Amino acid sequence: MTLIDEHAHAWTPGEARARFRSGVSGATAGTAAGHTQANLISVPADWAYDMLLFCQRNPKPCPVLDVTDAGSWTTPLAADADLRTDLPRYRVWEHGELVAEPTDVADVWRDDLVSFLIGCSFTFEWALTGAGVPMRHIEQGRNVSMYVTSRRCRPAGRLRGPMVVSMRPVPPEQLAAAIRESSLLPAVHGSPVHCGDPSGLGIADLSRPDFGDPVDAEPGDIPVFWACGVTPQAAVMASRPPFAITHAPGQMFVTDARDEQYRVA
Amino acid sequence: MTLIDEHAHAWTPGEARARFRSGVSGATAGTAAGHTQANLISVPADWAYDMLLFCQRNPKPCPVLDVTDAGSWTTPLAADADLRTDLPRYRVWEHGELVAEPTDVADVWRDDLVSFLIGCSFTFEWALTGAGVPMRHIEQGRNVSMYVTSRRCRPAGRLRGPMVVSMRPVPPEQLAAAIRESSLLPAVHGSPVHCGDPSGLGIADLSRPDFGDPVDAEPGDIPVFWACGVTPQAAVMASRPPFAITHAPGQMFVTDARDEQYRVA
């Protein structure tokens, strides 16, 4: 899958959401530069406590930016947005099985859905870019590479599953900046969970990501792994709640919030 | 109320908990130096989602360090601890009214209680001390001053209430260090919510705190206000759940965790 549009970085968040509402889809890495992107997971109210506790117990993959009231499709993170239509593409799940990947979910929405907006690593890419760290996937016009790992999340109620990570190849001379800058953004995954040998996370082959696109590394690049907001989606696959809606990996909700506001210092 | 013991800073967390279990009580500022202290709030499982959502929506006063399963009195933050006996003093609440302040709660424990351990500003005092910021209340052998403010928390379900803050007088030349060091500890309240004129938070008289002790400032000191983990207790008073147990203000749960682990960089 390619990025949505070569000019997407200059869109305002509202322009981006309007395009997605009209049916445009694609990976949002770099879209509406400087504005916070979020993962979406909507579950029936009966599962909301388990999901919120799962997020609290696994804050690196699941940093919660907002939780809606049951049935609501609005969020203070984007005043005029409709969570049912304003993402590029969704995934609809029944009993842990993917049943559809539509560009809006108004027709399958339920009054008992509680929606979780979870921090996305696209949010710290501005900080890494500003510190001189190249973003290989954006340079190559691709979605970031994501992998299911052998690390288990701490379970919560009925929810369990593996941690999912995103990977960016980083030149050794920029490794310190990449770690430092992402550490200052704990609300959007924070510091990496692993650097170097992918087998440490049970990843056999970097060229075959579980989600997103393969990304070409330059000679000498070190693979750096950050906890990823697709993790709740993996928990849905593993734990099989009767119904759930998520974003499609890499096709995020673009908020009006500014990335800087999540920086701790 | 005075601090527990002039040698309490040198106790191990296990020694501190053993003393509290045997009935010793008092303010724990400075106890088991370098180890993380936590606020306790236990509510019936029926109220747990509202409380967890309240914490998520108000992360500065209510940073969650751990949530137990219903009925459990154990936590990974202190492997051998019993949450029913190991705090210096508790408060027991019925319908928002304080009904008892015992030194253990084993006799009123319920199988449906979910316990929240919430970060405490005592945790960043080591970092401030290390950066040269004087801790006036510890020097004076007193509990920190805490105030109910005019700022409202964002409600969640049936829970609402004011933000509570702790205040430390800081010399102007140490203000930058106090802000910088606490900012790097967002899991334990993070940066101050206000500095200077207390009327900005609706506080009429610094010498009359709502919880804890008055603390003497030195000439020129600036009052610096951090969000406080007594906030959920104020929400209990305002929202009147049928039953709740909390710590007594300033008499915290001493964990085995080390303060450094909550530092982001």
Side-chain angles (χ1 to χ4, degrees):
Chain A
M1 180 205 314
T2 55
L3 298 186
I4 282 177
D5 186 293
E6 63 182 307
H7 302 295
H9 68 279
W11 294 349
T12 68
E15 287 170 352
R17 292 192 300 268
R19 283 179 166 83
F20 305 153
R21 199 179 309 135
S22 75
V24 171
S25 64
T28 55
T31 294
H35 293 90
T36 303
Q37 300 195 21
N39 301 271
L40 172 71
I41 175 134
S42 306
V43 294
D46 169 48
W47 283 70
Y49 181 68
D50 288 359
M51 181 58 72
L52 189 53
L53 190 60
F54 185 83
C55 293
Q56 193 283 322
R57 289 181 172 174
N58 299 282
K60 290 201 81 152
C62 309
V64 179
L65 303 183
D66 193 42
V67 182
T68 68
D69 293 320
S72 171
W73 52 79
T74 66
T75 170
L77 294 176
D80 66 351
D82 185 328
L83 291 172
R84 303 168 302 175
T85 57
D86 288 8
L87 280 71
R89 190 172 293 279
Y90 299 82
R91 288 185 158 185
V92 181
W93 305 82
E94 292 180 2
H95 302 287
E97 303 292 329
L98 179 63
V99 297
E101 284 199 282
T103 61
D104 82 62
V105 289
D107 58 330
V108 293
W109 194 260
R110 293 166 36 157
D111 287 343
D112 67 342
L113 289 180
V114 175
S115 294
F116 295 76
L117 294 170
I118 300 206
C120 169
S121 61
F122 294 173
T123 303
F124 62 65
E125 292 182 343
W126 67 274
L128 270 59
T129 302
V133 183
M135 290 291 104
R136 303 287 189 219
H137 61 293
I138 296 179
E139 293 169 359
Q140 296 166 24
R142 300 181 192 167
N143 196 351
V144 74
S145 304
M146 293 166 268
Y147 307 87
V148 175
T149 73
S150 54
R151 284 202 200 169
R152 310 299 298 176
C153 288
R154 191 175 158 201
R158 294 158 289 181
L159 283 173
R160 61 192 49 74
M163 184 168 69
V164 178
V165 294
S166 65
M167 186 281 294
R168 291 162 185 77
V170 176
E173 60 272 26
Q174 265 97 44
L175 183 61
I179 293 174
R180 182 188 67 236
E181 293 299 320
S182 56
S183 295
L184 293 174
L185 291 156
V188 288
H189 304 304
S191 55
V193 293
H194 186 70
C195 301
D197 183 3
S199 70
L201 292 173
I203 299 169
D205 184 352
L206 286 181
S207 72
R208 301 180 59 187
D210 296 293
F211 308 100
D213 300 320
V215 172
D216 299 328
E218 297 291 314
D221 278 358
I222 296 169
V224 180
F225 301 90
W226 281 269
C228 177
V230 171
T231 299
Q233 207 164 124
V236 164
M237 296 167 73
S239 313
R240 311 173 73 80
F243 187 75
I245 293 171
T246 69
H247 70 291
Q251 305 200 44
M252 316 306 295
F253 178 58
V254 179
T255 79
D256 291 341
R258 291 202 160 264
D259 295 333
E260 291 88 342
Q261 78 186 62
Y262 292 106
R263 194 176 168 97
V264 296
Chain B
M1 178 201 318
T2 55
L3 298 186
I4 281 177
D5 186 295
E6 62 181 310
H7 302 296
H9 68 279
W11 295 348
T12 67
E15 287 168 352
R17 292 193 299 268
R19 282 179 168 83
F20 304 152
R21 199 179 309 136
S22 72
V24 171
S25 65
T28 55
T31 295
H35 293 91
T36 303
Q37 300 195 22
N39 301 271
L40 172 72
I41 176 134
S42 305
V43 293
D46 170 48
W47 284 70
Y49 180 68
D50 287 359
M51 182 58 70
L52 189 53
L53 189 61
F54 186 83
C55 292
Q56 193 282 324
R57 288 180 173 174
N58 299 284
K60 291 201 81 154
C62 309
V64 179
L65 303 184
D66 193 42
V67 182
T68 68
D69 293 321
S72 171
W73 52 79
T74 66
T75 169
L77 294 177
D80 65 352
D82 184 329
L83 292 171
R84 304 168 301 175
T85 58
D86 288 6
L87 279 73
R89 192 170 292 279
Y90 299 81
R91 288 185 158 184
V92 181
W93 305 82
E94 291 179 3
H95 302 286
E97 303 293 331
L98 179 62
V99 297
E101 285 199 281
T103 61
D104 81 62
V105 288
D107 58 330
V108 293
W109 194 260
R110 293 167 34 158
D111 287 344
D112 67 342
L113 288 180
V114 175
S115 294
F116 294 76
L117 294 170
I118 301 212
C120 169
S121 60
F122 293 173
T123 303
F124 63 65
E125 292 182 342
W126 67 273
L128 270 59
T129 302
V133 182
M135 290 292 103
R136 304 284 190 221
H137 60 295
I138 296 179
E139 292 169 0
Q140 296 166 22
R142 299 181 193 165
N143 196 353
V144 74
S145 304
M146 293 166 268
Y147 307 87
V148 176
T149 73
S150 55
R151 286 202 197 167
R152 310 300 298 176
C153 289
R154 189 175 158 200
R158 294 159 288 180
L159 284 173
R160 61 191 50 72
M163 185 168 68
V164 178
V165 295
S166 64
M167 185 282 292
R168 290 164 186 77
V170 175
E173 59 273 25
Q174 265 97 43
L175 183 61
I179 294 174
R180 182 189 67 236
E181 293 298 319
S182 57
S183 295
L184 294 174
L185 290 156
V188 287
H189 305 303
S191 55
V193 293
H194 186 68
C195 301
D197 184 3
S199 70
L201 292 172
I203 299 168
D205 184 352
L206 285 182
S207 73
R208 300 179 60 185
D210 296 293
F211 309 100
D213 301 320
V215 172
D216 299 328
E218 297 291 315
D221 278 358
I222 296 169
V224 181
F225 301 89
W226 281 269
C228 177
V230 172
T231 300
Q233 208 163 124
V236 164
M237 296 166 73
S239 313
R240 310 174 72 81
F243 186 76
I245 294 171
T246 69
H247 69 292
Q251 306 199 42
M252 317 304 295
F253 178 57
V254 179
T255 78
D256 291 340
R258 292 202 159 266
D259 296 333
E260 293 87 342
Q261 78 186 61
Y262 293 105
R263 195 176 168 97
V264 297

